[in-house]
Amino acid sequence: MARILGVFLLVFVGNAFADEPPAYRRINCHVIGEDGLPATGIEVQLRGMRRDALGVGREEKNRGWNFRTDRHGNFTARFGRFRQYDHQQATGLVEPGYGHFYFVAHAASSTGGVSRQILNLNDEELAERTKHQDQNQVTLVEGEEWTRGEFAPCVLTDKPNRIEIVLKSGLSLTGRIVDTTGLPVRGEEVTLFLDLHADSHSGRGGEIFPQHATSDRAGHFYFRYVYPNTFYLALLNDSSGPPYWIRTRVRNRWRDKVEDEITPRQNESEPSHYEKSIDMQVVVARQAPYRYFGRVTNADGKAVANAEVEIRCSLHEPERTFADNHDYWWRTRTDATGNYSVRVGSRFVNAIWVTAGNERGTDDAEEDELMAPGRYDITVSPAKK
């Protein structure tokens, strides 16, 4: 009788646990080339969209962030049904839990591949999303704004999940850097990267497939295997010193501003037996080219001497990055007649502040607008306590 009771309890307990959701959700991933053949022995990294997950997998006690495809081009990953931080505090392990992720595949003689966005949602988020889908409503979650088509999100469930990652042959970018007189600029460092729009402090914490080049004696730089999606460029000194990026030609179109966000056209993104190429030219100034000036007076109309003038610039119009709104500052002081004049590295200014003892004054751009170079007179008044 005791033996029968023991068997009954074992079956009862087993069935009880069987009804509980699994601790992990699994996803089977298949990596192929543009020719449709399996990509074997390919290194794949899982990239989290949060600051605490970016770049994990290189330290000890991290698990589930790095993979290599088998002879069929497959690998399996798992995502915990837990908050990554809570799990780490309890176990000491850094494993992927709830959140938004991408798989990034690296391959020689290729630009690599990026998966659809992986959404591992908690039960409440998953139920809410399912409800909206049943009602044929479109619901965006944080980080999905740019994911369309081949990058549409993959929402994990407790059932088997599967995605495919395609390695892209990519395209090339040929560029040249010259100064305002047309002379080549050599030795300038250029960085190219794609952006996963990670939730980092800068808004660009998830850069992938970075490449670096240095302009040669003729000012030329060159990148190969560029992933055929929107990519970004940066000059080493484009914010705090010469050369100042002031003009750009992408393909055949000139723009009188920094044009560091480039989106390939459809015919440049399609697979081809020959290498597609985008051509560009960057014009830089060796001296800060844009002048802002004016006069500072008090409420009585009298000139204010030795007042500190601070000018905050944006590299882009409209502002696009965290740095546009926070990082680019130029400072000067008014002379004995209250006049100021300063040259800055960008013609897109969003605010001018004046400080004179306990008096303050400002001239701000309207929302979503920037202040062109020119004259800005500012009146200061006692600061409010």
Side-chain angles (χ1 to χ4, degrees):
M1 180 69 180
R3 182 176 180 181
I4 295 175
L5 180 61
V7 171
F8 173 79
L9 289 174
L10 180 62
V11 172
F12 175 79
V13 172
N15 288 336
F17 279 108
D19 292 336
E20 293 184 0
Y24 292 88
R25 293 169 175 152
R26 286 174 169 76
I27 183 168
N28 299 316
C29 308
H30 185 50
V31 183
I32 62 173
E34 288 182 324
D35 56 7
L37 297 178
T40 63
I42 297 298
E43 177 187 347
V44 183
Q45 183 184 38
L46 179 65
R47 299 296 299 270
M49 297 287 282
R50 301 292 185 185
R51 273 186 288 176
D52 59 354
L54 296 172
V56 298
R58 297 187 180 94
E59 303 174 2
E60 295 180 359
K61 295 189 176 181
N62 294 332
R63 184 169 65 187
W65 299 88
N66 295 297
F67 309 89
R68 187 171 293 276
T69 60
D70 61 20
R71 62 191 182 93
H72 302 293
N74 299 320
F75 68 92
T76 300
R78 71 179 191 176
F79 294 80
R81 295 172 59 97
F82 47 69
R83 290 179 64 242
Q84 180 182 312
Y85 177 80
D86 295 339
H87 181 70
Q88 182 179 354
Q89 294 299 304
T91 66
L93 290 173
V94 182
E95 292 187 276
Y98 294 131
H100 307 164
F101 304 85
Y102 285 89
F103 289 105
V104 180
H106 302 271
S109 301
S110 165
T111 186
V114 182
S115 74
R116 298 157 56 192
Q117 186 178 148
I118 311 299
L119 302 185
N120 184 33
L121 307 177
N122 61 39
D123 292 340
E124 182 179 345
E125 293 171 330
L126 189 58
E128 182 69 17
R129 188 180 181 92
T130 302
K131 179 180 71 174
H132 284 288
Q133 287 178 338
D134 291 343
Q135 297 172 353
N136 293 320
Q137 298 176 4
V138 177
T139 302
L140 291 177
V141 298
E142 182 182 357
E144 279 190 54
E145 289 79 3
W146 76 300
T147 53
R148 294 291 183 270
E150 64 178 308
F151 291 106
C154 172
V155 182
L156 299 184
T157 67
D158 296 335
K159 298 178 181 179
N161 305 275
R162 181 177 175 82
I163 62 167
E164 187 172 77
I165 304 171
V166 180
L167 301 178
K168 305 286 187 177
S169 57
L171 49 85
S172 64
L173 175 72
T174 301
R176 188 170 187 240
I177 305 175
V178 298
D179 64 19
T180 52
T181 68
L183 293 177
V185 176
R186 68 177 300 181
E188 178 63 24
E189 295 184 34
V190 186
T191 298
L192 182 150
F193 61 93
L194 289 96
D195 184 5
L196 291 183
H197 292 252
D199 185 24
S200 64
H201 190 57
S202 67
R204 284 193 172 180
E207 291 86 350
I208 58 171
F209 305 138
Q211 297 189 50
H212 308 278
T214 302
S215 58
D216 61 22
R217 60 189 301 175
H220 293 115
F221 61 90
Y222 185 69
F223 293 103
R224 293 194 65 188
Y225 305 125
V226 178
Y227 193 84
N229 205 308
T230 298
F231 60 87
Y232 302 84
L233 297 167
L235 299 185
L236 179 64
N237 294 320
D238 62 355
S239 62
S240 58
Y244 300 101
W245 186 340
I246 62 172
R247 199 162 183 249
T248 318
R249 175 181 58 78
V250 179
R251 303 180 185 91
N252 297 316
R253 183 182 182 185
W254 280 100
R255 302 290 296 273
D256 290 328
K257 63 178 183 178
V258 173
E259 192 82 359
D260 57 1
E261 179 183 17
I262 300 176
T263 300
R265 295 170 177 168
Q266 182 175 356
N267 65 335
E268 294 167 338
S269 303
E270 295 172 348
S272 175
H273 63 279
Y274 66 93
E275 189 174 24
K276 305 289 183 66
S277 180
I278 297 176
D279 181 66
M280 72 177 302
Q281 183 162 305
V282 175
V283 179
V284 298
R286 301 183 186 275
Q287 303 290 332
Y290 304 108
R291 180 173 176 247
Y292 288 77
F293 61 97
R295 191 165 185 258
V296 177
T297 57
N298 59 22
D300 297 327
K302 295 182 179 179
V304 179
N306 200 38
E308 183 182 42
V309 180
E310 298 178 288
I311 296 181
R312 189 181 71 191
C313 295
S314 168
L315 282 183
H316 305 97
E317 181 193 23
E319 295 177 5
R320 193 181 75 227
T321 67
F322 177 90
D324 283 340
N325 192 256
H326 292 77
D327 288 356
Y328 306 128
W329 294 83
W330 273 262
R331 295 174 174 85
T332 189
R333 287 188 175 274
T334 58
D335 62 18
T337 62
N339 290 305
Y340 71 92
S341 178
V342 60
R343 289 189 173 274
V344 303
S346 170
R347 64 186 179 92
F348 306 129
V349 166
N350 38 37
I352 302 176
W353 283 280
V354 176
T355 303
N358 68 340
E359 294 187 312
R360 304 287 188 274
T362 184
D363 194 337
D364 292 75
E366 298 294 331
E367 185 177 358
D368 297 327
E369 293 184 1
L370 296 167
M371 303 162 66
R375 183 182 186 97
Y376 294 89
D377 295 329
I378 298 174
T379 301
V380 296
S381 59
K384 296 180 180 180
K385 294 183 180 181

